[in-house]
Amino acid sequence: MNADPHIITTPPKLMRAIRSAMAGTESVQERLDHFVRAIRSSMQVEVASIYLLRAGEDLELSATQGLKRSAVHKTRMKPGEGLVGHVALTARPLNLADAPSHPLFSYRPETGEDPFNSFLGVPILRGGRTLGVLVVQSKTSRTFSEEEVEDLLTVAMVLAEIIVDDERVGGKKAALKGIALSPTKPETVTGRAFAPGLARGVAVLHQPPVAPANLLAENIALEEVRLERAIAELRRNVDAMVSGEVAGITRASREIFDAYRTFAYDRKWVGRLREAVHSGLTAEAAVERVRNEHRARLMKVRDPYLRARLHDLEDLANRMLRLLAGEGTERAVPDDAILFARELGPAELLDYDREKLAAVVLEEGTPSSHTSIIARALGLPLVGRAQGVLDKIETGDTVLVDAEDGRVHLRPLETQISGFQLRLNIRGEMTRAYDQLRFRRAVTQDGQEVDLMLNAGLLVDLPQLDQAGADGIGLFRTEFQFMVSDFMPRLQQQTELYRKAIEAAGDRPVTFRTLDLGGDKILPYMDPIPEENPAIGWRAIRIGLDRPGLMRYQLRALVAAGAGRHLRIMFPMVTVVDEFIEAKALFTREIARASKLGLELPAKVEVGVMLETPSLAWQVDAVCDHADFVSVGANDLLQFFFASDRDNARVSDRYDPLSPAALSMMSFIADRCRLNDTPVSVCGEIAGRPLEAMALVALGYHSLSMPVTGIGPVKSAVMALDAEALRDLIVPNLRVTTRLRSLREPIAEFCADNGIPI
Ligand code: PEP
Ligand code: MG
């Protein structure tokens, strides 16, 4: 390689010819004609032809020198058909000395191509999509040299840009209209709804491809130097990310960065970049070309691991292009942006302006990932596991996100849009109706008062207390702060968050749940301990009691935040009563410590227990002797009760919380708590679903804590409910002899008969 910028290396002859073909201001068709002329003369072949993919279907001969001109815009073939179709399908060059003997050779008399033996076809790629095929043929039987293949690939890339330019102006300049360069078809991708809601907006890619400004090198030596510098800088960059020098690294992204490093040091990848520059491209265009080649190949791969690597490579290429351009990464986001990403860290999501975002679509993600949690907290619809969606979407596309049933409609038809808009309007009306109820207490028709509380955990949740008209925070998931931080939150930071939550609630109660880590809630800065069954493994209070340092540290922050206030805390995942007693003793020690230091103590303290293991349901009397209140963590309780993993889509919806078995247990817990005079509430998703919430009220639960989206619908249902009447319907069905699978239908009928909105 010649790395001295002062030595000007002249671009190869073909590149010079191409450059002059590009200099004019002709129509695209004229340019294509120029191209094939330039290729034919500088490569000394008899035929040079361009085939373009029309409307995403057929390849059409769009320009030629050497074949019959009358065949232009007439000869067509399907991708996969003949040699040209084969190149389009495989997205790889095909170099043959004796083309007619190839099994895929198909004879086209109208083109007059029979006397040609040698064939070299290269794909015209852009953004990983095949736009067409560039072909040269000659009478003499020979294999084209590696350099010739490279040159033709380079020309194909330049060609791709010209065609795309044409598309950008609507194909008016040439007869190219109808050539499918970017996807235009409406498509629906099915994923899973990780945060509910509906949204209509425009697609924005979290990591958009960066288009190179200049394609052809003025000075190859200079481009070589630029490329080497960028490679070195990229490697430094990636090394720093992997070693964690860059703040903001999370465990998931570290895995990705490891993959980046593999690529950044991959000799083949770097070798391809160097070859591309050597063939006359700018460093940027070289990155783009190599990216296109990889992309076109990997897009055909089904293996999810390899496909994930494709995106790593994309990201890496984008980074490289930014380095070459010497620019930062900020981007303007339009209104109603629907953000598309493979995976998104919580901090990355929070970097976006919430006001501009309408929804998020991820190729990966899990319902309990931090990003999903934050999306729910922000009321931002999120569809995850939308496989392959990044290959089908382009910035600016219209998108409908249905995060009720996990579907994403790309480039929808007008009819789809109007149907969807109707649903959006209905939702808007319902929201306005719920707003009207904001300042009203949830009291049933038969006079039972129900507290509707919010599940929260982050600062962003707090304004929703007032917006939704919640009666307090029934579950403050303190682990969220730990999960979304890059480092362990310090005492001061913990205290501040808790204090802000108490302040935001005013005189409404806030119940802090101590750290519920482990299981699926893993901290980025802690090495996970691999477990076969993390949900029933070393988690929550089990960690807290085994490593009391962390728990005491948190309790200290809670005591400090509660100074002079009403402090309510509860412990998660208690399985036997002794665990609760032990945890409570740690809290008592923290109170004693604060008192000894002369710190201001909370004005009132209540220590409760979360009932989320079936075993504790059978010790409820015993735990009531020690706990100031009981909060039923129905998410976990039901997953353990039904032995069905709440995060496993195959089983999570298999059992009904409104089954007689589950309702019997819930009824038993409520009854025992009432007899013990211990306040009881339910937190967890079911508390936020109107039907389930009404059943709970009927069974005697007068405090429900739920995600913000549940408060309006539950309030309007509860206010229309005669709880005693529903109780009369449910209780007789809870006999152990019942064969009824679920009470959902009878309860729904009850609602319909009694005009209860659900
Ligand atoms: C529950 O298990 O019901 C609960 C509220 O806790 P989490 O969802 O945080 O496990
Ligand atoms: Mg739980």
PDB file of all heavy atoms in Angstrom, residues 477 513 516 521 539 572-573 610 612 633 635-637 646, ligand 2:
ATOM      1  N   ARG A 477     -40.658   0.255  42.837  1.00  0.00           N
ATOM      2  CA  ARG A 477     -39.655  -0.787  42.566  1.00  0.00           C
ATOM      3  C   ARG A 477     -38.260  -0.155  42.616  1.00  0.00           C
ATOM      4  O   ARG A 477     -37.763   0.367  41.621  1.00  0.00           O
ATOM      5  CB  ARG A 477     -39.898  -1.411  41.203  1.00  0.00           C
ATOM      6  CG  ARG A 477     -41.171  -2.259  41.112  1.00  0.00           C
ATOM      7  CD  ARG A 477     -41.297  -2.842  39.710  1.00  0.00           C
ATOM      8  NE  ARG A 477     -42.239  -3.930  39.609  1.00  0.00           N
ATOM      9  CZ  ARG A 477     -43.431  -3.848  39.006  1.00  0.00           C
ATOM     10  NH1 ARG A 477     -43.819  -2.703  38.477  1.00  0.00           N
ATOM     11  NH2 ARG A 477     -44.211  -4.894  38.926  1.00  0.00           N
ATOM     12  N   ARG A 513     -40.475  -0.822  47.905  1.00  0.00           N
ATOM     13  CA  ARG A 513     -40.121  -2.236  47.979  1.00  0.00           C
ATOM     14  C   ARG A 513     -38.593  -2.298  47.936  1.00  0.00           C
ATOM     15  O   ARG A 513     -37.973  -1.672  47.055  1.00  0.00           O
ATOM     16  CB  ARG A 513     -40.739  -2.943  46.764  1.00  0.00           C
ATOM     17  CG  ARG A 513     -40.722  -4.448  46.800  1.00  0.00           C
ATOM     18  CD  ARG A 513     -39.728  -5.102  45.883  1.00  0.00           C
ATOM     19  NE  ARG A 513     -39.724  -4.753  44.490  1.00  0.00           N
ATOM     20  CZ  ARG A 513     -40.448  -5.369  43.533  1.00  0.00           C
ATOM     21  NH1 ARG A 513     -41.300  -6.303  43.835  1.00  0.00           N
ATOM     22  NH2 ARG A 513     -40.294  -5.024  42.285  1.00  0.00           N
ATOM     23  N   ASP A 516     -35.291  -5.808  44.581  1.00  0.00           N
ATOM     24  CA  ASP A 516     -35.738  -7.115  44.100  1.00  0.00           C
ATOM     25  C   ASP A 516     -34.846  -7.471  42.917  1.00  0.00           C
ATOM     26  O   ASP A 516     -35.246  -7.353  41.768  1.00  0.00           O
ATOM     27  CB  ASP A 516     -37.209  -7.035  43.681  1.00  0.00           C
ATOM     28  CG  ASP A 516     -37.761  -8.399  43.274  1.00  0.00           C
ATOM     29  OD1 ASP A 516     -37.046  -9.401  43.426  1.00  0.00           O
ATOM     30  OD2 ASP A 516     -38.907  -8.455  42.800  1.00  0.00           O
ATOM     31  N   LYS A 521     -33.748  -9.615  36.763  1.00  0.00           N
ATOM     32  CA  LYS A 521     -33.324  -8.236  37.019  1.00  0.00           C
ATOM     33  C   LYS A 521     -31.843  -8.223  37.364  1.00  0.00           C
ATOM     34  O   LYS A 521     -31.451  -8.416  38.518  1.00  0.00           O
ATOM     35  CB  LYS A 521     -34.144  -7.643  38.150  1.00  0.00           C
ATOM     36  CG  LYS A 521     -35.620  -7.502  37.779  1.00  0.00           C
ATOM     37  CD  LYS A 521     -36.427  -7.168  38.985  1.00  0.00           C
ATOM     38  CE  LYS A 521     -37.911  -7.101  38.665  1.00  0.00           C
ATOM     39  NZ  LYS A 521     -38.725  -7.201  39.858  1.00  0.00           N
ATOM     40  N   ARG A 539     -32.430 -14.572  44.572  1.00  0.00           N
ATOM     41  CA  ARG A 539     -32.947 -13.256  44.206  1.00  0.00           C
ATOM     42  C   ARG A 539     -33.596 -12.565  45.406  1.00  0.00           C
ATOM     43  O   ARG A 539     -33.850 -13.177  46.441  1.00  0.00           O
ATOM     44  CB  ARG A 539     -33.958 -13.367  43.051  1.00  0.00           C
ATOM     45  CG  ARG A 539     -35.118 -14.308  43.312  1.00  0.00           C
ATOM     46  CD  ARG A 539     -36.134 -14.231  42.178  1.00  0.00           C
ATOM     47  NE  ARG A 539     -36.921 -13.011  42.259  1.00  0.00           N
ATOM     48  CZ  ARG A 539     -38.125 -12.847  41.718  1.00  0.00           C
ATOM     49  NH1 ARG A 539     -38.665 -13.818  41.009  1.00  0.00           N
ATOM     50  NH2 ARG A 539     -38.785 -11.720  41.848  1.00  0.00           N
ATOM     51  N   PRO A 572     -39.520  -8.030  49.355  1.00  0.00           N
ATOM     52  CA  PRO A 572     -40.038  -8.912  48.298  1.00  0.00           C
ATOM     53  C   PRO A 572     -39.623 -10.380  48.478  1.00  0.00           C
ATOM     54  O   PRO A 572     -38.638 -10.671  49.155  1.00  0.00           O
ATOM     55  CB  PRO A 572     -39.351  -8.358  47.047  1.00  0.00           C
ATOM     56  CG  PRO A 572     -38.046  -7.823  47.541  1.00  0.00           C
ATOM     57  CD  PRO A 572     -38.268  -7.373  48.976  1.00  0.00           C
ATOM     58  N   MET A 573     -40.384 -11.262  47.873  1.00  0.00           N
ATOM     59  CA  MET A 573     -40.036 -12.685  47.746  1.00  0.00           C
ATOM     60  C   MET A 573     -39.807 -13.386  49.084  1.00  0.00           C
ATOM     61  O   MET A 573     -38.952 -14.264  49.202  1.00  0.00           O
ATOM     62  CB  MET A 573     -38.769 -12.839  46.892  1.00  0.00           C
ATOM     63  CG  MET A 573     -39.014 -12.889  45.415  1.00  0.00           C
ATOM     64  SD  MET A 573     -39.938 -14.334  44.899  1.00  0.00           S
ATOM     65  CE  MET A 573     -38.698 -15.587  45.060  1.00  0.00           C
ATOM     66  N   MET A 610     -44.277  -8.530  51.124  1.00  0.00           N
ATOM     67  CA  MET A 610     -44.905  -8.882  49.851  1.00  0.00           C
ATOM     68  C   MET A 610     -45.232 -10.356  49.903  1.00  0.00           C
ATOM     69  O   MET A 610     -44.387 -11.180  50.267  1.00  0.00           O
ATOM     70  CB  MET A 610     -43.963  -8.606  48.682  1.00  0.00           C
ATOM     71  CG  MET A 610     -43.990  -7.154  48.266  1.00  0.00           C
ATOM     72  SD  MET A 610     -43.173  -6.910  46.692  1.00  0.00           S
ATOM     73  CE  MET A 610     -44.479  -7.293  45.540  1.00  0.00           C
ATOM     74  N   GLU A 612     -45.731 -13.112  47.675  1.00  0.00           N
ATOM     75  CA  GLU A 612     -45.615 -13.500  46.268  1.00  0.00           C
ATOM     76  C   GLU A 612     -45.088 -14.915  46.106  1.00  0.00           C
ATOM     77  O   GLU A 612     -44.666 -15.297  45.009  1.00  0.00           O
ATOM     78  CB  GLU A 612     -44.811 -12.477  45.456  1.00  0.00           C
ATOM     79  CG  GLU A 612     -43.572 -11.940  46.090  1.00  0.00           C
ATOM     80  CD  GLU A 612     -42.911 -10.826  45.266  1.00  0.00           C
ATOM     81  OE1 GLU A 612     -43.390 -10.475  44.190  1.00  0.00           O
ATOM     82  OE2 GLU A 612     -41.887 -10.329  45.739  1.00  0.00           O
ATOM     83  N   GLY A 633     -47.990  -9.720  45.670  1.00  0.00           N
ATOM     84  CA  GLY A 633     -47.286  -9.565  44.384  1.00  0.00           C
ATOM     85  C   GLY A 633     -47.811 -10.624  43.437  1.00  0.00           C
ATOM     86  O   GLY A 633     -47.284 -11.725  43.335  1.00  0.00           O
ATOM     87  N   ASN A 635     -47.922 -10.986  40.270  1.00  0.00           N
ATOM     88  CA  ASN A 635     -47.152 -11.467  39.109  1.00  0.00           C
ATOM     89  C   ASN A 635     -46.377 -12.719  39.492  1.00  0.00           C
ATOM     90  O   ASN A 635     -46.437 -13.747  38.818  1.00  0.00           O
ATOM     91  CB  ASN A 635     -46.144 -10.414  38.628  1.00  0.00           C
ATOM     92  CG  ASN A 635     -46.803  -9.146  38.159  1.00  0.00           C
ATOM     93  OD1 ASN A 635     -47.977  -9.151  37.816  1.00  0.00           O
ATOM     94  ND2 ASN A 635     -46.058  -8.052  38.142  1.00  0.00           N
ATOM     95  N   ASP A 636     -45.629 -12.598  40.561  1.00  0.00           N
ATOM     96  CA  ASP A 636     -44.831 -13.747  40.979  1.00  0.00           C
ATOM     97  C   ASP A 636     -45.699 -14.827  41.610  1.00  0.00           C
ATOM     98  O   ASP A 636     -45.519 -16.008  41.346  1.00  0.00           O
ATOM     99  CB  ASP A 636     -43.728 -13.302  41.956  1.00  0.00           C
ATOM    100  CG  ASP A 636     -42.511 -12.798  41.196  1.00  0.00           C
ATOM    101  OD1 ASP A 636     -42.126 -13.455  40.208  1.00  0.00           O
ATOM    102  OD2 ASP A 636     -41.962 -11.745  41.577  1.00  0.00           O
ATOM    103  N   LEU A 637     -46.630 -14.394  42.438  1.00  0.00           N
ATOM    104  CA  LEU A 637     -47.449 -15.398  43.131  1.00  0.00           C
ATOM    105  C   LEU A 637     -48.109 -16.338  42.109  1.00  0.00           C
ATOM    106  O   LEU A 637     -48.102 -17.554  42.269  1.00  0.00           O
ATOM    107  CB  LEU A 637     -48.523 -14.705  43.975  1.00  0.00           C
ATOM    108  CG  LEU A 637     -49.416 -15.656  44.777  1.00  0.00           C
ATOM    109  CD1 LEU A 637     -48.611 -16.450  45.804  1.00  0.00           C
ATOM    110  CD2 LEU A 637     -50.531 -14.877  45.500  1.00  0.00           C
ATOM    111  N   ARG A 646     -43.482 -16.199  33.861  1.00  0.00           N
ATOM    112  CA  ARG A 646     -44.195 -15.000  33.399  1.00  0.00           C
ATOM    113  C   ARG A 646     -43.556 -14.364  32.186  1.00  0.00           C
ATOM    114  O   ARG A 646     -44.181 -13.594  31.470  1.00  0.00           O
ATOM    115  CB  ARG A 646     -44.315 -13.985  34.542  1.00  0.00           C
ATOM    116  CG  ARG A 646     -42.980 -13.475  35.031  1.00  0.00           C
ATOM    117  CD  ARG A 646     -43.118 -12.793  36.380  1.00  0.00           C
ATOM    118  NE  ARG A 646     -43.022 -11.354  36.277  1.00  0.00           N
ATOM    119  CZ  ARG A 646     -42.809 -10.554  37.322  1.00  0.00           C
ATOM    120  NH1 ARG A 646     -42.675 -11.060  38.544  1.00  0.00           N
ATOM    121  NH2 ARG A 646     -42.731  -9.264  37.162  1.00  0.00           N
TER     122      ARG A 646
HETATM  123 MG    MG B   2     -42.509  -9.896  42.262  1.00  0.00          MG
END
